[in-house]
């Protein structure tokens, strides 16, 4: 099964009964665990790395590994740059063979976000790759960046942004935030419905960690086609490595490798089942 583009997967979601999971990875074990879950469930998958995490996982090493793993997978895999902030890193990801990049211009005023996103779209087109952008602002912190407050996406701005940029996917802020929630989030499904009615491209939900099964269902039934999960995988890995150290104090390096892979696999599989992805490859 070849590495595929984002629009191939997202436009393939015809009725609102499932959404594609997009899982952050930081090393080979996490890549392997994520693809293992996808293959076992016969599900399409997106693997992604955020620019804010490259301090730990340099793109020139992790990126080619992600592309190689995708090419070997038995299910369709998109290799995506999450929260790209600089044209240099976006360019590097495209050179490596990523089939999709996100430009996160949510910190800019609308007109500047539009201008910068258009530049990214022009660049990605040269590589036959797709672009995700963000309008409004998802809260919390992704990677090394400072935490930001949620700014719910305005319907008018979403329309204006999409018409000007024609991006392939649009991340909307409907009350979610990156990282673990300090308070129970209240999702603005009403706003999501309004946006989905008037914006023609697939919509993306960031900040998936900590949402309930009902939150996920409400989101995908009302227009979300891509759901991002990062912290839940990292927390699953950390918890299972701690457990390994407790249960088997003399563990060796390869016990650790297996633990990281399986902890990722378990978390990805759990979310894929909630997102309705079984046999959707
Ligand atoms: P979480 O870390 O909350 O799962 O968010 C993931 C995300 O949206 C990555 O862009």
């Amino acid at each position: 099964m070849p590495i595929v583009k984002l629009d191939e997967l997202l436009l393939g979601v015809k009725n609102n009964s499932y959404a594609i999971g997009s899982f952050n990875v930081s090393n080979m074990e996490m890549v392997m665990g994520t693809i293992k879950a996808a293959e076992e469930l016969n599900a399409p998958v997106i693997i992604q790395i955020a620019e804010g995490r490259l301090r730990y996982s340099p793109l020139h090493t992790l990126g080619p590994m992600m592309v190689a793993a995708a090419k070997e997978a038995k299910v369709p895999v998109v290799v995506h740059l999450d929260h790209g902030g600089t044209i240099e890193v976006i360019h590097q990801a495209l050179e490596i063979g990523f089939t999709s990049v996100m430009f996160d211009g949510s910190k800019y005023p609308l007109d500047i976000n539009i201008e910068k996103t258009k530049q990214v779209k022009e660049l990605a087109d040269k590589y036959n790759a797709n672009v995700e952008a963000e309008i409004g602002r998802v809260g919390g912190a992704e990677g090394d960046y400072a935490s930001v407050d949620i700014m719910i996406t305005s319907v008018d701005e979403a329309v204006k942004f999409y018409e000007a940029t024609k991006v392939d996917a649009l991340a909307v802020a409907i009350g979610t935030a990156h990282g673990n929630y300090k308070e129970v989030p209240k999702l603005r499904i009403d706003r999501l419905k309004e946006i989905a009615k008037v914006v023609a491209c697939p919509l993306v939900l960031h900040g998936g960690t900590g949402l309930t099964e009902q939150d996920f269902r409400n989101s995908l039934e009302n227009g979300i086609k891509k759901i991002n999960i990062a912290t839940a995988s990292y927390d699953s890995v950390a918890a299972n490595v701690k457990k390994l150290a407790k249960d088997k104090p003399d563990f060796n390096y390869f016990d650790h490798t297996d633990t990281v892979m399986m902890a990722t696999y378990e978390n990805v599989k759990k979310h894929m089942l909630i997102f309705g992805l079984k046999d959707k490859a």
Side-chain angles (χ1 to χ4, degrees):
M1 196 65 77
I3 179 170
V4 296
K5 286 175 65 181
L6 186 69
D7 57 2
E8 286 177 51
L9 290 194
L10 301 189
L11 297 175
V13 183
K14 289 290 182 221
N15 55 18
N16 289 350
S17 65
Y18 67 101
I20 310 293
S22 194
F23 299 94
N24 290 67
V25 293
S26 285
N27 59 22
M28 183 184 75
E29 292 81 355
M30 293 188 78
V31 171
M32 287 165 64
T34 302
I35 291 182
K36 178 178 163 62
E39 287 180 339
E40 196 177 296
L41 293 178
N42 190 30
V45 69
I46 302 161
I47 52 174
Q48 59 185 17
I49 173 82
E51 185 168 332
R53 303 268 185 207
L54 296 179
R55 184 157 72 87
Y56 306 97
S57 316
L59 195 55
H60 68 275
T61 51
L62 185 71
M65 186 193 294
M66 291 165 72
V67 171
K71 286 181 176 166
E72 286 296 313
K74 297 186 185 73
V75 290
V77 182
V78 172
V79 180
H80 176 76
L81 178 73
D82 187 28
H83 291 283
T86 62
I87 203 83
E88 291 77 18
V89 169
I90 288 169
H91 199 174
Q92 190 188 359
L94 293 166
E95 276 289 321
I96 288 169
F98 280 42
T99 50
S100 173
V101 290
M102 176 185 189
F103 172 67
D104 178 358
S106 60
K107 63 172 184 266
Y108 298 113
L110 183 67
D111 51 338
I112 296 179
N113 190 359
I114 288 175
E115 265 331 293
K116 287 182 180 283
T117 302
K118 278 165 80 172
Q119 285 167 19
V120 171
K121 181 88 176 102
E122 210 171 292
L123 179 65
D125 281 348
K126 292 190 184 133
Y127 290 83
N128 192 27
N130 293 135
V131 175
E132 174 185 334
E134 179 170 323
I135 183 79
R137 200 167 54 208
V138 175
E142 178 53 50
D144 284 349
Y145 301 126
S147 187
V148 293
D149 291 334
I150 297 171
M151 213 162 73
I152 299 291
T153 304
S154 121
V155 181
D156 289 347
E157 286 196 359
V159 171
K160 191 170 170 204
F161 185 88
Y162 177 66
E163 291 307 323
T165 61
K166 293 285 188 247
V167 285
D168 304 288
L170 187 59
V172 289
I174 55 164
T176 60
H178 297 105
N180 287 307
Y181 288 98
K182 293 179 187 75
E183 290 166 24
V184 178
K186 282 206 188 70
L187 267 55
R188 290 286 309 272
I189 299 296
D190 58 324
R191 181 60 57 92
L192 171 62
K193 282 185 190 170
E194 288 178 273
I195 299 168
K197 230 182 266 168
V198 290
V199 173
C201 76
L203 303 177
V204 182
L205 186 72
H206 282 243
T209 295
L211 299 184
T212 63
E213 208 166 318
Q214 195 56 53
D215 287 332
F216 288 128
R217 298 295 319 166
N218 289 344
S219 301
L220 67 88
E221 281 166 12
N222 289 291
I224 291 292
K225 306 285 187 221
K226 171 179 183 273
I227 303 177
N228 285 10
I229 301 287
T231 306
S233 284
Y234 295 124
D235 286 353
S236 173
V237 170
N240 280 279
V241 170
K242 282 180 208 157
K243 187 173 181 312
L244 172 68
K246 189 161 172 273
D247 295 350
K248 193 177 174 187
D250 64 341
F251 75 86
N252 67 29
Y253 176 79
F254 298 100
D255 293 329
H256 179 270
T257 298
D258 276 345
T259 299
V260 175
M261 184 182 74
M262 289 309 290
T264 308
Y265 158 85
E266 296 292 352
N267 180 60
V268 169
K269 186 174 167 188
K270 179 181 94 178
H271 283 93
M272 283 183 155
L273 288 170
I274 295 172
F275 301 165
L277 283 165
K278 189 162 170 27
D279 289 326
K280 295 295 192 297

